[in-house]
Amino acid sequence: MSSSIPQFSHTSVESIPGIVDLARSTFEAHATRSIQYRLVQLRKLYWGIKDHEQDLIEACRLDLGKPAFEVFISEVGWCLNDIVYTCKNLERWVRDEKAADIPLANAPVSPKIRKDPLGVVLVIGAFNFPVQLAFGPMVGAIAAGNTVVLKPSEICPNTAAVVQKIVADYLDPTAYTVVQGAVPETTALLDQKWDKIFYTGNSTIGTIIAKKAAETLTPVTLELGGQNPAIVTKHADPRLAARRLLWGKVLNAGQVCLSENYALVDREILAAFIEEFKVAAAEFFPKGAKLSPDFGRIVNSRHFHRIKAMLDNSNGKIVIGGTMDENEKFIEPTVVVVDSLHDALVKDEIFGPLLPILAFDNLDEAIKTANKIHSTPLAMYAFGSTTETDKILRETRSGGASINDTVEYLPCPQRYSTIIHGAMPTLEFGGVGSSGQGSYRGRASFDCFSHRRAVTKTPSWIESLISVRYPPYAGKLSGYKRLSELKPDFDRNGDRTTWGGLVAWIFGRSGSSGSSSGSKLGRSAVLVFLVAGVAKYLERRTKR
């Protein structure tokens, strides 16, 4: 289709309660419960995005200066693949599950897990990926059977307008709608009662949303940012690390919540790392980033000046880049060597194409520094030997992590190994601690907007067996204990008892998350041996 960007306009604040009421009426009429209905809506959304692919590419160019290649790999193509994957798997996801770890005595009540929709969902998108972060959560919400009100980021008005057009023209307007606006409209939305709020953005607004949601005990998923570290050890390949970390800073002009916020580099390879960074920058942008059609721009003047102020207030030494153009909202990919955790470029999230580097002398020092700057970032990037990267993972926390790569979870064709996390639609994405709560993507998106409802069905014939629970209780407790009480396989010191451990191993109750076929065969062999031994013993006693 030819590019045609609609006009962006704010939704009337007075109309918002009615919009939410309509979505709730549709949900309460059970219109979205049908699996076929959900699949039809997802398929229509696919074609809506597909038909307006050029509109979305142009809108992202106008809003962010984003190259068409980046729009496809991180926005349009991502959403299209997510929808196809969800449609292919939805019927399997919605099936009732047999409840796990149910004792044989409880089998007659047929315990199972249903997947019920939560209800009416509010999705609040972000400006840096205005297509993916709007439609991505919405796909999961539709798949789970909810109705959705979507609030795109007003900072990208062109993209928000195209998103609204797609939803209005392709989806059921009684179940799915878009509200446009800024603070007044968002405030009005938060004043409504929701069954789930999904927010992507910064922690300041995330805190406001969480407090507001708490007033009505509304569950929230918060996808926030963080001061993501990259740790480059002396055993890392400096060329590989430099190229991959540079890409993490030039993608979307560094406006990526997963982008590394700073790099900790072993002092032994610092000079080589910086030199390789210069080589990579020249390869990526032979005529410079400003003249390249493959480098985006900062979203608006406010964010341009915020990033510029961080660089102006830094005491570090610029070793690569540093040029800016306010009229174009251009900031060159810039590397700065700093020597303090309190430097302006380290103490806050940058969300731009600046990379401060802190040198370290040993890995313990680097890990301690990373944990001190932000103990629960959204992402962690480790470059080094297997022993070193295992140590980094073991002694840090983060929402996700990539070994020998950066900006995990971004998509690529599955035949390529780079950014392999993004080629896995089954891999969950989410923060931890102050970088967010909850996760989504693929199956996790369906789970994010579903309630796992435990259901049992007690037959009438079992009444005589369960009558022990009815008063009067006299004389029933000892028998109930004998039949129901589990025997511990540990002593008062917390140590595993020999016989208890053996019994637990034989019957597969050792507490491990999974058992190999060898372990199962071994247990079976021991069990057969014990049964045969007992039988032989009883046979001898009988002959006596």
Side-chain angles (χ1 to χ4, degrees), residues 22-54:
L22 176 60
R24 187 163 298 282
S25 296
T26 301
F27 178 77
E28 291 177 350
H30 313 298
T32 61
R33 290 270 185 164
S34 163
I35 298 173
Q36 189 58 34
Y37 172 91
R38 305 180 202 181
L39 287 171
V40 168
Q41 297 303 309
L42 289 169
R43 292 164 185 161
K44 287 183 175 181
L45 180 58
Y46 175 93
W47 289 112
I49 296 171
K50 193 74 172 176
D51 291 345
H52 291 277
E53 180 176 338
Q54 292 306 313

Side-chain angles (χ1 to χ4, degrees), residues 135 147 182 192 203 215 234 239 253 258 376 392 436 450 488 498 537:
F135 285 139
T147 56
Q192 307 305 306
S203 58
E215 294 177 3
K234 61 185 177 182
R239 179 179 184 275
L258 286 165
T376 57
I392 292 169
S450 299
T498 303
Y537 171 76

Side-chain angles (χ1 to χ4, degrees), residues 86-318:
T86 299
C87 288
K88 288 182 177 180
N89 290 278
L90 184 57
E91 291 187 359
R92 177 170 57 89
W93 294 345
V94 300
R95 290 180 197 143
D96 292 348
E97 289 181 16
K98 182 180 178 181
D101 302 320
I102 299 299
L104 183 61
N106 297 125
V109 300
S110 305
K112 62 184 179 181
I113 304 297
R114 285 176 56 96
K115 287 67 168 284
D116 283 352
L118 293 175
V120 185
V121 171
L122 172 63
V123 174
I124 303 176
F127 76 81
N128 55 328
F129 293 99
V131 181
Q132 180 204 138
L133 298 180
F135 285 139
M138 193 175 188
V139 168
I142 294 172
N146 302 279
T147 56
V148 183
V149 175
L150 172 63
K151 165 63 179 66
S153 174
E154 74 283 2
I155 298 177
C156 290
N158 295 288
T159 311
V162 178
V163 166
Q164 183 174 24
K165 179 175 176 57
I166 292 171
V167 172
D169 290 354
Y170 288 79
L171 300 184
D172 180 352
T174 69
Y176 313 107
T177 190
V178 171
V179 169
Q180 303 281 24
V183 174
E185 293 79 11
T186 305
T187 301
L189 284 168
L190 293 175
D191 284 337
Q192 307 305 306
K193 177 65 180 80
W194 303 95
D195 297 300
K196 178 74 178 251
I197 298 175
F198 190 107
Y199 169 76
T200 304
N202 64 62
S203 58
T204 301
I205 303 300
T207 301
I208 295 172
I209 289 172
K211 287 181 178 179
K212 188 66 178 178
E215 294 177 3
T216 53
L217 298 180
T218 300
V220 296
T221 293
L222 302 175
E223 299 296 348
L224 311 176
Q227 292 155 279
N228 308 318
I231 300 178
V232 184
T233 75
K234 61 185 177 182
H235 295 113
D237 180 338
R239 179 179 184 275
L240 180 146
R243 287 174 62 83
R244 294 181 179 180
L245 289 173
L246 175 60
W247 183 75
K249 276 299 179 183
V250 302
L251 177 71
N252 201 28
Q255 298 165 111
V256 185
C257 60
L258 286 165
S259 177
E260 67 275 11
N261 202 65
Y262 61 95
L264 292 157
V265 181
D266 192 290
R267 202 177 302 276
E268 285 189 27
I269 66 166
L270 179 59
F273 176 79
I274 293 173
E275 189 59 36
E276 291 293 351
F277 219 99
K278 293 177 181 178
V279 171
E283 291 177 357
F284 288 6
F285 309 113
K287 297 181 179 180
K290 187 174 184 181
L291 297 178
S292 173
D294 301 326
F295 185 71
R297 297 297 186 263
I298 305 304
V299 67
N300 59 26
S301 294
R302 180 171 68 85
H303 282 282
F304 174 90
H305 287 289
R306 176 187 60 78
I307 299 169
K308 181 178 183 298
M310 297 178 80
L311 185 59
D312 291 343
N313 294 327
S314 172
N315 293 318
K317 178 184 178 182
I318 297 175

Side-chain angles (χ1 to χ4, degrees), residues 308-528:
K308 181 178 183 298
M310 297 178 80
L311 185 59
D312 291 343
N313 294 327
S314 172
N315 293 318
K317 178 184 178 182
I318 297 175
V319 292
I320 299 174
T323 63
M324 302 183 184
D325 185 333
E326 182 177 354
N327 292 329
E328 290 192 20
K329 299 190 289 291
F330 165 80
I331 297 179
E332 183 181 12
T334 300
V335 177
V336 184
V337 176
V338 301
D339 57 10
S340 171
L341 305 187
H342 305 291
D343 192 272
L345 289 172
V346 178
K347 64 180 182 180
D348 294 311
E349 184 178 6
I350 297 172
F351 217 69
L354 310 181
L355 180 63
I357 294 177
L358 287 157
F360 66 86
D361 295 306
N362 61 74
L363 188 54
D364 287 329
E365 176 192 347
I367 292 172
K368 183 178 179 180
T369 299
N371 287 330
K372 187 173 183 180
I373 291 173
H374 189 180
S375 60
T376 57
L378 185 59
M380 160 72 71
Y381 306 108
F383 295 80
S385 68
T386 300
T387 299
E388 291 169 328
T389 56
D390 284 349
K391 177 181 175 67
I392 292 169
L393 288 178
R394 189 170 58 248
E395 298 182 12
T396 61
R397 292 180 292 165
S398 63
S402 280
I403 306 303
N404 295 326
D405 214 336
T406 184
V407 190
E408 95 274 37
Y409 302 104
L410 283 180
C412 67
Q414 295 195 22
R415 63 181 179 273
Y416 299 143
S417 61
T418 306
I419 317 303
I420 193 65
H421 287 83
M424 300 181 189
T426 57
L427 190 60
E428 296 187 24
F429 166 72
V432 61
S434 59
S435 62
Q437 60 187 59
S439 58
Y440 74 121
R441 299 278 166 86
R443 170 63 187 266
S445 291
F446 173 82
D447 292 338
C448 176
F449 296 100
S450 299
H451 169 61
R452 295 176 59 84
R453 188 180 185 185
V455 178
T456 61
K457 184 178 181 180
T458 307
S460 57
W461 60 262
I462 205 173
E463 181 64 16
S464 62
L465 299 177
I466 62 175
S467 60
V468 67
R469 67 187 182 180
Y470 303 134
Y473 298 134
K476 295 182 178 180
L477 183 58
S478 59
Y480 181 83
K481 280 186 175 182
R482 189 166 55 252
L483 292 173
S484 66
E485 193 170 17
L486 298 177
K487 305 303 180 185
D489 60 351
F490 49 85
D491 60 23
R492 292 178 180 275
N493 295 320
D495 298 320
R496 176 70 69 86
T497 56
T498 303
W499 284 106
L502 178 61
V503 171
W505 179 76
I506 290 172
F507 290 98
R509 299 172 185 167
S510 61
S512 61
S513 59
S515 300
S516 66
S517 58
S519 297
K520 292 178 180 177
L521 288 172
R523 287 198 298 267
S524 299
V526 172
L527 185 57
V528 169

